[in-house]
Amino acid sequence: MKHLLLLFSCAICLQSCIRWNDDDEIIAESNYEAITQSRDIFENSITLESSKPINTAGKIYVKDNYIFINEVKEGFHVFNNINPEEPEAISFISVPSATDLAIRDNIIYVHHFVDLVAIMI
């Protein structure tokens, strides 16, 4: 019985090595369409704007006396948090498709589409 089980297991393993005729004929259809833009437009899409109301809040990041709140896929709201009872809206960093940020040594690193953007505070 053990020999039969071993033979059957080997047959199953070797079957995966057989190349069938229609393996190369796999056609993948997609309903997605690529969205492209020039590098200049991509790089100039990051702007510093005046503060605005939060519509869809995402992640929150706190650094020293500042609070950064992600506006989902639009950018980050910057608040002065010296008085935690009344944080003051300072500005909005517009970064299209921004999902996350990190801060180290007064440099903000933002995930922007497929790039990592560094912004000096």
Side-chain angles (χ1 to χ4, degrees):
M1 182 68 177
K2 290 183 180 179
H3 294 293
L4 187 59
L5 186 59
L6 180 64
L7 184 63
F8 181 70
S9 299
C10 289
I12 294 289
C13 290
L14 290 175
Q15 180 193 10
S16 65
C17 299
I18 297 173
R19 184 177 170 99
W20 301 100
N21 290 337
D22 59 349
D23 282 349
D24 293 333
E25 297 178 18
I26 297 173
I27 299 173
E29 294 183 24
S30 175
N31 294 331
Y32 297 104
E33 184 177 331
I35 299 172
T36 60
Q37 64 182 193
S38 71
R39 187 71 188 181
D40 292 335
I41 293 172
F42 178 71
E43 290 175 353
N44 292 322
S45 63
I46 301 169
T47 58
L48 182 63
E49 302 173 0
S50 60
S51 62
K52 63 181 190 178
I54 299 172
N55 294 323
T56 309
K59 295 181 178 181
I60 299 173
Y61 192 96
V62 178
K63 169 72 171 160
D64 299 330
N65 290 326
Y66 296 99
I67 299 174
F68 298 86
I69 301 176
N70 178 238
E71 180 77 39
V72 178
K73 300 204 177 196
E74 289 185 31
F76 291 90
H77 299 274
V78 182
F79 288 87
N80 185 342
N81 195 34
I82 290 177
N83 181 3
E85 293 180 13
E86 292 184 32
E88 176 189 354
I90 298 174
S91 62
F92 180 74
I93 304 171
S94 176
V95 184
S97 231
T99 56
D100 203 358
L101 92 147
I103 301 175
R104 184 172 184 188
D105 298 330
N106 292 328
I107 299 176
I108 302 172
Y109 298 95
V110 179
H111 179 247
H112 177 245
F113 288 109
V114 296
D115 281 346
L116 182 66
V117 177
I119 304 168
M120 297 273 305
I121 295 180

